[in-house]
Amino acid sequence: MSFYTLKLRDDDVVEMIDQRKLPLEVDYVELKTYKDVYGAIKDMIVRGAPAIGVSAAFGLYLGAKSLLENNGANNYEAFKNKFFEICDFMFSARPTAVNLGWAVGRIKKLVENAGQKDEGKGSGASKPLMLDELVGFIRAESLKIYDEDIEINKDMGRYGAALLNDGFSVLTHCNAGALATAGYGTALGVIRAAVAENKKISVISDETRPFLQGARLTAWELMEDGIPVTLIADNSAGLLMRRGKINAVIVGADRIASNGDVANKIGTYQVAVLAKENNIPFYVAAPLSTIDLNIASGDEIPIEERDISEVVSVMGKRIAPENAAALNFAFDVTPNKYVTAIITEKGVLYPDYKKSISEVFNLKI
Ligand code: MRU
C-alpha cells in the first residue's frame, strides 16, 4: 500500500495521514500529546470507527506517559484516577462509533487488572507494580489493538470475498477502507480480498455528502491500489440499481445493536432501502468490536450532529445562502430487516441477528 493511516513511532509520536486534505494533498501530521490525538479524532484528521479506536488507544498511551513525565502521579491510585479522567476525555471525542469506547474500555481494564494484581504482591518474591512498567503495558496493548485490527480485517475479507462473484459491480458508501482502520479495511477489505482471489470486481463509490468520504477517500484509496472505481453522486444509486448495474452493496458500520440494526454514515439507510427494493444484497462488514451488546436496538445509538458548516460549504467554499438553516446528522440507522448479512472476523452472520449475534459471542439468550 502506498500510504499508511496511522502509526505509533518508536519515538512515541503518533503519525496520521491528514484525511481532511486527501486526495489533493497527501500530508501526515505528528501528534505528541493525548490532547492532540483527541483533536485529530474530533476534527476528523482520522475517522472511521476502527481507526478512531486505534487512535484513542495510542492517545491514551501518550496520556499515561505524560502523567509519569510530569509527576502527575506517584502511586497506583493517583495514577489510575488521573488516567481515567483522560480516558473519559478521549471517550467524548465522537459519540457514534462504539469502537472508541471499546478501545478505551480495553485499556482501562488493563489498568484495573494491573492494580488488582498489584494488591496481591508486596509479600514474597514478586515485586510491586511500577508505574513505568504499567505505562509500558499500555503501550504494548495499544500496539496490539493496532496489529489485531489489521488481522481482523483480513479475516473478515476472506469470509466476505466468498459473497462476491467474479465480475461483480459493488456499491459502497462512505469510506470503510484502509483509511478507516489500522489498514486493509472492512468493506473495502472484502473487496481487496476478492480481488486477491483474482475476481474482477469493480466498485461504485457514493460521493457521501457532506464530508465526501466516498469522493475523496474511497476513490483515492482504491485508485492507489489499482481497483476499478467509479464515483457517483449519492442520488444516482437508485437509477444504477434499477438498470442492473449493481450486484451487491457493502458498507462498514459505526455501531451495530444486538438485534442487528446498523449505524453507519448518513445516507446508508436510503441505500439499504433501495437495495432491498431492487433485490440486491446489502452486506455490512464490521469487526465484533463494532457490535454493542449493551443496546437492544438502533434506537439507542447516539447520532452525532456536526457543525452545519460542513453542509453549507464544500471544501471551505460556501454554497448555500448566508444564514441558511441546515442540519448535519453524521450517521443514520439501518433497521436489521434491510441487512442481508453481517460479515465479521468470525464468519458471516445472517438473520435472525439476535440469535446469530449472541451465538458468535457465545451468549445464552
Ligand atoms: O464520520 P466518519 O467518516 O468517521 O464515518 C465513517 C463511517 O461511517 C464508516 O463507514 C464506518 O466507520 C466504518 S469504517 C470501517
Side-chain angles (χ1 to χ4, degrees):
M1 210 162 272
S2 65
F3 63 93
Y4 52 89
T5 305
L6 76 167
K7 66 176 170 191
L8 175 62
R9 289 193 332 216
D10 290 344
D11 61 355
D12 285 344
V13 170
V14 177
E15 212 177 294
M16 292 177 177
I17 197 164
D18 189 340
Q19 301 198 29
R20 299 166 309 178
K21 294 183 180 166
L22 285 172
L24 304 180
E25 261 180 76
V26 181
D27 191 20
Y28 289 84
V29 293
E30 293 188 338
L31 311 169
K32 296 183 177 154
T33 69
Y34 74 89
K35 287 187 181 161
D36 291 345
V37 175
Y38 167 90
I41 297 172
K42 206 170 175 56
D43 296 343
M44 292 175 68
I45 289 174
V46 65
R47 31 65 52 200
I52 291 172
V54 176
S55 304
F58 287 163
L60 292 184
Y61 163 60
L62 297 186
K65 196 176 155 217
S66 72
L67 286 178
L68 273 193
E69 288 173 350
N70 305 326
N71 293 326
N74 52 19
N75 61 56
Y76 172 76
E77 276 309 315
F79 175 87
K80 190 177 105 173
N81 290 339
K82 289 203 169 152
F83 182 68
F84 280 17
E85 280 171 21
I86 295 175
C87 290
D88 291 345
F89 174 69
M90 197 62 79
F91 177 69
S92 69
R94 289 191 76 190
T96 302
V98 75
N99 307 59
L100 172 60
W102 172 87
V104 171
R106 185 161 153 175
I107 303 265
K108 273 174 106 169
K109 198 162 168 201
L110 174 117
V111 172
E112 289 277 13
N113 288 347
Q116 277 162 13
K117 278 189 200 135
D118 192 38
E119 277 170 20
K121 288 184 177 178
S123 59
S126 52
K127 64 178 177 51
L129 176 75
M130 305 299 284
L131 288 181
D132 56 353
E133 198 184 2
L134 178 56
V135 172
F137 292 155
I138 295 172
R139 187 181 203 279
E141 189 71 2
S142 70
L143 289 170
K144 200 165 164 220
I145 291 174
Y146 175 96
D147 289 338
E148 281 174 10
D149 188 56
I150 298 175
E151 284 315 306
I152 283 170
N153 288 339
K154 290 190 173 162
D155 290 343
M156 218 183 299
R158 278 188 286 273
Y159 283 116
L163 302 169
L164 303 184
N165 295 344
D166 190 21
F168 260 25
S169 162
V170 181
L171 181 129
T172 192
H173 189 74
C174 193
N175 172 270
L179 285 167
T181 60
Y184 204 68
T186 58
L188 299 192
V190 169
I191 288 163
R192 282 198 167 92
V195 169
E197 290 174 8
N198 292 321
K199 291 177 184 167
K200 267 202 162 54
I201 305 289
S202 53
V203 177
I204 305 280
S205 173
D206 279 347
E207 63 175 346
T208 320
R209 277 280 289 147
F211 202 70
L212 301 171
Q213 288 92 333
R216 298 189 303 103
L217 308 178
T218 295
W220 180 76
E221 175 177 333
L222 291 176
M223 286 171 78
E224 286 290 298
D225 254 18
I227 297 175
V229 54
T230 303
L231 187 62
I232 58 168
D234 292 331
N235 43 16
S236 301
L239 176 88
L240 291 183
M241 286 185 188
R242 245 185 112 69
R243 288 191 172 178
K245 301 286 184 203
I246 292 165
N247 305 105
V249 176
I250 304 189
V251 297
D254 286 82
R255 194 184 298 224
I256 300 176
S258 53
N259 69 347
D261 290 348
V262 173
N264 191 50
K265 180 52 52 196
I266 190 80
T268 302
Y269 174 37
Q270 59 205 45
V271 174
V273 175
L274 279 171
K276 194 172 178 79
E277 168 71 15
N278 288 281
N279 289 318
I280 295 167
F282 178 88
Y283 299 120
V284 175
L288 294 183
S289 57
T290 300
I291 299 180
D292 187 349
L293 295 173
N294 296 317
I295 55 170
S297 82
D299 295 343
E300 293 172 60
I301 299 176
I303 301 293
E304 177 181 10
E305 264 192 272
R306 296 184 62 83
D307 197 283
I308 62 162
S309 59
E310 291 175 357
V311 174
V312 297
S313 305
V314 174
M315 303 295 280
K317 191 170 170 29
R318 191 160 185 106
I319 53 162
E322 283 302 327
N323 302 323
L327 290 173
N328 189 10
F329 290 101
F331 300 94
D332 59 26
V333 174
T334 299
N336 57 20
K337 67 175 179 180
Y338 295 106
V339 179
T340 310
I342 301 173
I343 303 158
T344 76
E345 70 272 30
K346 297 281 182 216
V348 180
L349 312 183
Y350 292 95
D352 162 355
Y353 289 115
K354 256 191 203 161
K355 190 163 173 289
S356 53
I357 287 177
S358 55
E359 276 169 6
V360 77
F361 282 98
N362 284 320
L363 298 176
K364 290 200 175 72
I365 49 166

